[in-house]
Amino acid sequence: MTAFKPSLPDALRRIRKARGLSQEAFSDVSSRTYMSALERDLKSPTLNKLAELCEVMEIHPLTLVTLAYAGRDPLNADQLLAQVQRELNEIVAASKIENP
């Protein structure tokens, strides 16, 4: 079995289409050319740009990133989110120890 390769461009395209949005719908935050380049993996967005794009799609940026890493399998998303929750808990617990 081949390992799944995370794909932000695929996730972006899937969410955009699921929301019924054209690339032009992002004109307040991006050009159609830029959206096309993102979806073809020719450019990489900053976190600020991701937040703006997600605002247009009315989703949280973590939804986009989760879809990029989990692919089409909801079970992958559940496992991924459980891992993130464990890691966040570890980081918060460690930071409380270091900075009481």
Side-chain angles (χ1 to χ4, degrees):
M1 182 170 118
T2 353
F4 175 76
K5 181 182 174 211
S7 178
L8 188 65
D10 289 345
L12 182 61
R13 186 179 317 102
R14 283 183 61 205
I15 295 170
R16 179 180 62 76
K17 288 182 176 184
R19 293 289 199 213
L21 299 168
S22 67
Q23 290 178 339
E24 289 81 10
F26 294 81
S27 63
D28 286 346
V29 297
S30 166
S31 70
R32 189 205 57 75
T33 305
Y34 181 72
M35 286 300 297
S36 176
L38 288 177
E39 290 184 4
R40 290 183 293 131
D41 206 14
L42 300 176
K43 292 194 180 269
S44 297
T46 64
L47 283 177
N48 286 337
K49 182 54 74 176
L50 270 184
E52 291 175 351
L53 297 173
C54 287
E55 217 173 279
V56 173
M57 295 185 289
E58 298 181 345
I59 61 166
H60 193 283
L62 290 177
T63 302
L64 175 62
V65 174
T66 301
L67 185 61
Y69 275 88
R72 298 180 182 269
D73 186 351
L75 183 57
N76 288 344
D78 288 343
Q79 292 170 348
L80 179 62
L81 292 170
Q83 176 184 345
V84 168
Q85 186 64 58
R86 280 191 310 275
E87 291 170 356
L88 287 171
N89 289 340
E90 290 169 6
I91 291 166
V92 168
S95 67
K96 287 181 181 175
I97 293 169
E98 293 172 5
N99 303 309

